[in-house]
Amino acid sequence: MSNTQDLILLSGEYSSSIVVLSVIIACCASYTALSLNQRIQQNSFFHNYFWLALSSIAMGLGIWSMHFVGMSALALPISMEYDPILTAISALPAILASFLAFYIANRANRNHLPYLLAGITMGIGISSMHYIGMAAMKMESEYIYNPWVFLLSIFIAIVVSYVALFIFSNSKKFMGNQYIKVITSIIMGLGISSMHYTGMMAVDFYVEKSVDIHTHTFHQMDMTLLITVVSIGIFILLLISALTSLLDRYVDYRLHHFDALTLLPNQRQFEASINNNTNRSGSLAIFQLHNLENLISAHGYTVGDEIIRAIRDIIHSQKPSSATLYRIEANRFALLTLEESTNEKVKEALENILSLLKKPIIVEENSIPVHVVCSVDYLSGEKDVKELFTNTMAVLQHPSIARQHKVIEYDPSIHTYSFERQILQDINRAMTNHELFIAYQPKVCSKSMNVTGLEALLRWKHPEQGMISPGIFIPVLEDNGKIFDVTDWVIQEVFKQISIWNKQSIPMYQVSINIPGAYVTSPRLLHVISEKLSEYSVNSHMIELEITETSVIHDIENAISAVEKLRGMGLSVALDDFGTGLSSLSYLKRIPISTIKIDKSFVDDVPLSEKDSDVLRAIITLCHSLHLKVVIEGVETKEQMNFITSVSEALHIQGYYFSRPLIEKELITWYRER
Ligand code: C2E
Ligand code: CA
Ligand code: CA
């Protein structure tokens, strides 16, 4: 640099309106940066770093534009230009420092040290930006820094950044409060600007004496281009941040109000719609998929997802158009209809849905059977929508719905806790008072048409409730540890009956007794059976025990040894409801059963459904190949009977086609009439 004596000090002039503009820019940028920064604290769809980066860019560019707009406020009597590359580069330290400073401040707790560190980082960033920006100026003059004022400007930048970051971070909990954000932004903006203008005070511009400054008019730097670029840049930045915030809020809304898998409204929306409703007519149905966990453990989550989507599609295809479908739990859908006089439509739709769901769902060439129960309740009288929900849930919580695949309408006399309690209270009395009794349903050979056996089915004629179906009360007893006693009672009654028939010399057939889940593997069962066999002098060949797949599958090793012992005593053992569970026959084959009972659901659509007919034929063939006695349950029509006899002759048929379950007297009459 030339000697100062050969230089003339230039005095500049500031345009106050542009100065004000530069301060406003700094404040706006701070505000944008703080708003974006805030989203880091909120649960956001985007990663924290996304917001951190965006807010640093906003802050950095803000500082940068403030600087250049500030520079353009200064008019000097010489011409000035900017080096575009350095100009662009000068934005980097500001962006980088903002990033680091926000990063540190976001992690800081009440401790001052991190804020100080963040403040220093920010301050240095602002200053570096400023001085690189200054270096980007190309002009005829030279400039000299006053070191003290220069240091002061850096000091101001650090202190203000520290104060602003501290206020900002520690008022997070009040950040909903716009004032704090605005005040912090103003402090920050003023900090940046004061650093700039103090920095400008630190420089003196000189020209060599040889330059005739009087020929120069005052130059506002030719900044039209720069200002335009800066304005457009800031505008785009604001737009981007506004849009991303909007997008973020939208994503947030979708995530919280819709189910990601089915895209249906979720339990939150469901809750809102039942809570805010005062309709007096309408209905609520809840579909529950019973075996989702088993399906997932057998086939994996992807298949589980496909099944859920397939169920959604089926419900969607049949539901009345005014009904809204929600996915309210992993395995539950709710169908809410709030319209006058749609009950009949709803009823029909629900039946259609469940009959479609009876068909296995095809996923990746696997054919997967699902069990879906639907509970429904209708608005009437004083009932409100919330009550509908309580009621339909009561249905689903009732023990009797386990594994059911049908539409069950809420019945206040059944689906209540008090009903369960009454059953448990009354069951002992029922056994001694002859409220409980046994009905026998014959099984007939498909070839000879001779009776080959009977199934003992429990009946309860309750003095207040009337006839209660075993499908309702047995699950309640099972859930409450009462079923063992009742099974013993059934065993005793059956043995007693056989011994009476023996005494009366009535020729009788093997009688099947249903043995519930946990009882199969209990030593008590063996004990009771052998005791009763000798007490009533009944031949063990006269007895068959029916066990279900679900009851043995949990404890297969013990089930195998229990069944072996029973078979060893000469009893038959049948696998009931075959095909309704998930296990494969090859697995069940390990249990030494003698008989297999093919579930009614395989017969229902035969012979009309070609597919079902093929499936039934295949199952029968499979059972024959294992040399098992085969019983087909639930045969009701001539057509079903014809189809079955066309498949095989060595079958036993049980169903209304031959007879309903009969009490002893009716059975004798039925038998004599044949
Ligand atoms: P399950 O063992 O599968 O009994 C067959 C059920 O199907 C009986 O219902 C019978 O009446 C019914 N059924 C038979 N043929 C036909 C037909 O052609 N069409 C139709 N629609 N149904 C037919 P029930 O008597 O109501 O018994 C229901 C369930 O309750 C039984 O299913 C069984 O799981 C249980 N249960 C009945 N009695 C006893 C018992 O003494 N002990 C135990 N643990 N469970 C029993
Ligand atoms: Ca049975
Ligand atoms: Ca059965």
Side-chain angles (χ1 to χ4, degrees):
M1 185 175 286
S2 331
N3 196 325
T4 353
Q5 263 101 60
D6 308 326
L7 301 173
I8 307 170
L9 178 66
L10 297 178
S11 56
E13 281 174 13
Y14 276 98
S15 144
S16 52
S17 55
I18 301 186
V19 170
V20 171
L21 177 69
S22 75
V23 177
I24 291 176
I25 287 179
C27 294
C28 287
S30 305
Y31 184 84
T32 314
L34 295 187
S35 310
L36 291 171
N37 219 297
Q38 243 180 306
R39 296 215 68 84
I40 298 173
Q41 268 79 50
Q42 287 154 8
N43 289 328
S44 164
F45 168 73
F46 294 104
H47 195 273
N48 284 352
Y49 284 113
F50 173 81
W51 297 114
L52 198 58
L54 213 61
S55 61
S56 331
I57 293 173
M59 192 74 243
L61 287 185
I63 296 167
W64 181 79
S65 9
M66 185 273 133
H67 172 87
F68 285 102
V69 174
M71 285 310 291
S72 73
L74 173 65
L76 284 172
I78 45 166
S79 61
M80 292 180 266
E81 272 175 13
Y82 274 92
D83 175 322
I85 295 177
L86 265 186
T87 304
I89 288 177
S90 66
L92 290 182
I95 295 174
L96 215 68
S98 307
F99 186 89
L100 281 175
F102 287 145
Y103 180 83
I104 300 169
N106 277 324
R107 254 143 223 265
N109 32 34
R110 313 217 151 264
N111 204 326
H112 280 265
L113 201 68
Y115 292 109
L116 202 60
L117 200 66
I120 293 174
T121 315
M122 192 77 168
I124 292 177
I126 298 173
S127 315
S128 328
M129 185 276 122
H130 179 84
Y131 291 103
I132 298 176
M134 291 297 288
M137 283 196 304
K138 290 193 291 192
M139 51 189 174
E140 291 169 335
S141 71
E142 312 208 7
Y143 49 88
I144 298 167
Y145 282 105
N146 173 332
W148 292 110
V149 187
F150 169 76
L151 284 178
L152 177 71
S153 74
I154 297 180
F155 181 72
I156 290 177
I158 291 177
V159 170
V160 178
S161 304
Y162 159 74
V163 171
L165 286 170
F166 185 81
I167 298 177
F168 170 62
S169 300
N170 287 287
S171 57
K172 266 171 207 161
K173 42 182 179 301
F174 317 112
M175 262 307 173
N177 186 340
Q178 281 292 328
Y179 295 121
I180 296 182
K181 206 156 85 182
V182 170
I183 290 169
T184 316
S185 315
I186 292 175
I187 296 177
M188 196 88 183
L190 286 176
I192 296 165
S193 330
S194 41
M195 185 271 138
H196 172 83
Y197 291 107
T198 317
M200 290 309 290
M201 268 166 59
V203 274
D204 285 330
F205 294 92
Y206 294 93
V207 284
E208 285 179 28
K209 279 199 174 124
S210 55
V211 179
D212 180 9
I213 53 167
H214 299 292
T215 61
H216 290 272
T217 46
F218 272 77
H219 286 272
Q220 206 110 26
M221 279 178 253
D222 181 19
M223 311 258 304
T224 338
L225 184 70
L226 193 66
I227 291 193
T228 320
V229 171
V230 164
S231 317
I232 293 176
I234 291 272
F235 176 74
I236 292 176
L237 193 74
L238 287 176
L239 199 71
I240 291 176
S241 32
L243 284 180
T244 40
S245 290
L246 213 67
L247 176 69
D248 196 47
R249 267 163 229 236
Y250 176 71
V251 170
D252 194 62
Y253 170 78
R254 287 295 307 189
L255 283 182
H256 285 90
H257 293 82
F258 289 84
D259 171 52
L261 175 65
T262 57
L263 305 181
L264 293 173
N266 66 8
Q267 72 277 19
R268 244 172 257 248
Q269 292 209 56
F270 175 67
E271 208 164 55
S273 42
I274 59 171
N275 284 337
N276 305 328
N277 211 284
T278 49
N279 271 51
R280 284 275 160 247
S281 72
S283 66
L284 173 66
I286 300 183
F287 296 87
Q288 170 170 301
L289 171 64
H290 289 307
N291 48 345
L292 181 62
E293 283 119 2
N294 294 345
L295 292 174
I296 287 173
S297 59
H299 303 281
Y301 281 102
T302 321
V303 171
D305 287 354
E306 288 304 320
I307 291 170
I308 294 291
R309 274 198 280 252
I311 295 176
R312 170 204 60 189
D313 291 343
I314 289 174
I315 302 177
H316 220 279
S317 68
Q318 301 297 317
K319 77 176 183 68
S321 54
S322 62
T324 316
L325 183 61
Y326 303 83
R327 185 176 182 213
I328 54 169
E329 267 165 77
N331 65 336
R332 284 181 185 153
F333 291 91
L335 190 66
L336 183 63
T337 320
L338 294 168
E339 230 184 38
E340 304 263 336
S341 64
T342 47
N343 291 1
E344 283 312 311
K345 253 197 255 168
V346 169
K347 252 178 217 167
E348 199 185 311
L350 298 182
E351 290 297 344
N352 288 345
I353 291 166
L354 279 220
S355 78
L356 286 175
L357 285 171
K358 272 205 175 120
K359 307 254 153 25
I361 288 175
I362 311 290
V363 183
E364 294 167 1
E365 290 171 8
N366 287 323
S367 149
I368 300 169
V370 292
H371 298 281
V372 177
V373 71
C374 171
S375 68
V376 61
D377 194 20
Y378 301 90
L379 277 179
S380 65
E382 286 302 292
K383 258 191 225 174
D384 63 12
V385 184
K386 260 184 276 180
E387 223 177 311
L388 285 190
F389 180 57
T390 320
N391 293 349
T392 42
M393 286 309 283
V395 174
L396 295 179
Q397 273 145 15
H398 196 268
S400 65
I401 68 111
R403 308 190 62 77
Q404 297 269 38
H405 186 115
K406 61 179 179 194
V407 181
I408 304 174
E409 202 170 316
Y410 171 73
D411 179 345
S413 67
I414 293 177
H415 302 118
T416 54
Y417 176 64
S418 57
F419 173 79
E420 258 183 85
R421 223 174 31 194
Q422 186 174 26
I423 285 191
L424 296 171
Q425 249 170 28
D426 296 352
I427 188 69
N428 288 334
R429 184 197 66 204
M431 286 189 275
T432 51
N433 268 11
H434 303 290
E435 287 170 33
L436 282 189
F437 59 93
I438 292 185
Y440 296 89
Q441 187 176 32
K443 298 172 208 171
V444 176
C445 172
S446 64
K447 187 181 182 189
S448 62
M449 293 292 163
N450 286 334
V451 179
T452 54
L454 304 168
E455 178 174 3
L457 293 160
L458 196 51
R459 295 290 175 263
W460 186 352
K461 190 166 193 313
H462 192 280
E464 290 142 44
Q465 304 275 353
M467 287 298 289
I468 313 175
S469 154
I472 300 280
F473 71 81
I474 285 179
V476 177
L477 300 177
E478 280 183 324
D479 263 17
N480 293 280
K482 268 293 190 185
I483 193 68
F484 285 18
D485 293 350
V486 176
T487 307
D488 288 352
W489 183 89
V490 175
I491 292 171
Q492 148 126 356
E493 288 299 300
V494 169
F495 279 57
K496 204 197 292 173
Q497 187 62 65
I498 294 175
S499 78
I500 294 173
W501 285 329
N502 277 343
K503 279 184 198 132
Q504 298 171 344
S505 309
I506 299 176
M508 266 305 156
Y509 306 93
Q510 192 183 51
V511 183
S512 307
I513 302 172
N514 289 287
I515 306 295
Y519 206 17
V520 177
T521 48
S522 157
R524 175 170 155 185
L525 178 67
L526 281 170
H527 178 76
V528 171
I529 296 273
S530 53
E531 197 185 74
K532 299 294 165 194
L533 280 173
S534 58
E535 187 182 337
Y536 292 99
S537 326
V538 169
N539 187 331
S540 60
H541 291 106
M542 287 296 290
I543 304 296
E544 181 171 71
L545 303 182
E546 294 192 3
I547 64 177
T548 60
E549 167 189 345
T550 28
S551 67
V552 294
I553 220 71
H554 301 298
D555 191 6
I556 186 123
E557 299 308 328
N558 282 325
I560 291 170
S561 85
V563 172
E564 263 166 7
K565 283 181 196 142
L566 292 165
R567 294 293 310 275
M569 288 162 67
L571 289 97
S572 298
V573 176
L575 187 68
D576 203 357
D577 303 340
F578 175 68
T580 58
L582 277 176
S583 20
S584 68
L585 190 54
S586 59
Y587 188 56
L588 295 171
K589 208 175 65 184
R590 297 181 54 207
I591 309 168
I593 47 167
S594 46
T595 309
I596 199 145
K597 295 189 80 176
I598 298 174
D599 191 68
K600 178 175 180 301
S601 55
F602 290 93
V603 187
D604 285 343
D605 295 339
V606 167
L608 279 180
S609 155
E610 204 173 308
K611 204 169 127 204
D612 285 17
S613 308
D614 289 345
V615 170
L616 181 60
R617 188 181 293 119
I619 293 181
I620 293 173
T621 313
L622 183 71
C623 294
H624 281 332
S625 73
L626 294 169
H627 304 292
L628 294 170
K629 181 174 140 188
V630 182
V631 180
I632 307 206
E633 293 187 285
V635 176
E636 292 180 349
T637 65
K638 180 91 190 121
E639 290 72 28
Q640 289 173 333
M641 192 57 202
N642 288 343
F643 174 81
I644 291 165
T645 44
S646 78
V647 175
S648 163
E649 290 189 325
L651 293 170
H652 303 260
I653 313 292
Q654 178 183 352
Y656 295 173
Y657 176 69
F658 288 113
S659 170
R660 291 179 176 262
L662 305 167
I663 55 167
E664 200 259 344
K665 254 196 219 137
E666 295 170 332
L667 178 73
I668 303 296
T669 320
W670 178 84
Y671 184 64
R672 293 230 164 94
E673 280 172 4
R674 271 175 74 87

